[in-house]
Amino acid sequence: MSKPGRGSVSNDTREAIMEATFRALSKHGYTDLRMRDIGEEMEMTRQVIHYHYDGKHDLMSHFLEYIIDQYEGSVEVDEGAPPREELAARIDQCLFGPAFDDFGHWDRMKVYHELFTHAQNDEEHRAIFNDHYERIRGSITEVVEDGIEQGVFRDVDAARMGQLVTDVIHAARGRRLSLGHEDAPEQARQSIDEFILASLYVDEP
């Protein structure tokens, strides 16, 4: 019998499974993770995991989408906010993350980057990460295009600007997580302001 798939999972059940997956991955790592480890992090029976997800790989694919949704869907910018404000909000979101009641941003990024490393050998997961990269780059590019159109940003190659900012963000997160340089995100934010965005802004009269 085929699995019902993600669409039939209630929001509460999906969140319980995904948050349990965060905790289990943090403790055991991806390679040694077992479905029972996730079950042990939940109050409900682990059979609910097997009912909704067809094994570890299927669960991890949906888990990656869950992580991405948390970040893509929680950028808080007032409608009609000026491009400078929206661009700053998107950069800060990527570097410092939204607030979480439990299991904070860098705990989640540690899990994210472990899965990112394994994606080099997994075509499906690599495609998900590629899509996420393009969504981040695309959102920054779109803001730059809006700013150019409004005359507040210089007429630059918006796609290359979006790519540069996105790559700096990824490098800073990786340096903090892999090398333990806890000040890397703050340093990257200052460098983006000083060396990238300062050259983007049109001088006000």
Side-chain angles (χ1 to χ4, degrees), residues 89-142:
R90 293 191 177 280
I91 292 170
D92 286 343
Q93 178 82 307
C94 291
L95 277 173
F96 307 111
F100 295 99
D101 293 334
D102 187 29
F103 208 73
H105 166 65
W106 289 110
D107 294 316
R108 291 167 190 267
M109 283 294 99
K110 177 182 177 183
V111 170
Y112 179 96
H113 275 262
E114 181 179 3
L115 296 176
F116 184 90
T117 301
H118 284 280
Q120 62 183 315
N121 300 315
D122 189 308
E123 184 175 351
E124 181 180 349
H125 290 178
R126 187 166 63 249
I128 294 173
F129 279 112
N130 262 314
D131 180 65
H132 187 210
Y133 176 88
E134 289 302 324
R135 285 163 63 180
I136 294 174
R137 186 184 66 82
S139 67
I140 293 173
T141 298
E142 185 175 339

Side-chain angles (χ1 to χ4, degrees), residues 7-202:
S8 62
V9 184
S10 72
N11 288 336
D12 288 345
T13 299
R14 176 177 178 246
E15 183 174 1
I17 294 172
M18 295 304 159
E19 290 298 316
T21 303
F22 264 125
R23 294 189 293 272
L25 277 167
S26 181
K27 291 180 181 179
H28 302 282
Y30 176 73
T31 301
D32 295 330
L33 182 71
R34 302 168 300 174
M35 299 292 270
R36 70 172 61 182
D37 298 323
I38 300 172
E40 289 174 357
E41 298 294 332
M42 299 171 54
E43 293 183 0
M44 62 186 73
T45 173
R46 74 168 183 267
Q47 294 307 315
V48 72
I49 306 174
H50 293 286
Y51 179 75
H52 289 298
Y53 300 101
D54 190 14
K56 176 180 172 180
H57 188 270
D58 182 45
L59 175 58
M60 288 299 104
S61 296
H62 288 104
F63 177 70
L64 284 175
E65 293 174 3
Y66 176 76
I67 299 174
I68 291 168
D69 287 345
Q70 285 187 325
Y71 284 81
E72 293 292 330
S74 57
V75 178
E76 297 183 359
V77 181
D78 293 335
E79 186 175 353
R84 284 194 185 191
E85 183 178 323
E86 181 175 354
L87 184 56
R90 293 191 177 280
I91 292 170
D92 286 343
Q93 178 82 307
C94 291
L95 277 173
F96 307 111
F100 295 99
D101 293 334
D102 187 29
F103 208 73
H105 166 65
W106 289 110
D107 294 316
R108 291 167 190 267
M109 283 294 99
K110 177 182 177 183
V111 170
Y112 179 96
H113 275 262
E114 181 179 3
L115 296 176
F116 184 90
T117 301
H118 284 280
Q120 62 183 315
N121 300 315
D122 189 308
E123 184 175 351
E124 181 180 349
H125 290 178
R126 187 166 63 249
I128 294 173
F129 279 112
N130 262 314
D131 180 65
H132 187 210
Y133 176 88
E134 289 302 324
R135 285 163 63 180
I136 294 174
R137 186 184 66 82
S139 67
I140 293 173
T141 298
E142 185 175 339
V143 179
V144 174
E145 290 173 340
D146 289 344
I148 293 171
E149 185 176 338
Q150 294 177 31
V152 296
F153 292 163
R154 291 193 307 107
D155 187 8
V156 300
D157 186 324
R160 288 178 61 192
M161 177 64 73
Q163 181 174 328
L164 174 60
V165 173
T166 304
D167 287 349
V168 171
I169 289 168
H170 274 272
R173 292 196 312 199
R175 186 158 68 87
R176 187 191 191 283
L177 291 163
S178 298
L179 302 181
H181 298 178
E182 295 191 1
D183 55 353
E186 288 79 9
Q187 290 176 342
R189 188 66 178 90
Q190 292 171 5
S191 296
I192 289 172
D193 277 339
E194 183 175 350
F195 301 118
I196 300 176
L197 299 187
S199 68
L200 178 65
Y201 299 149
V202 171

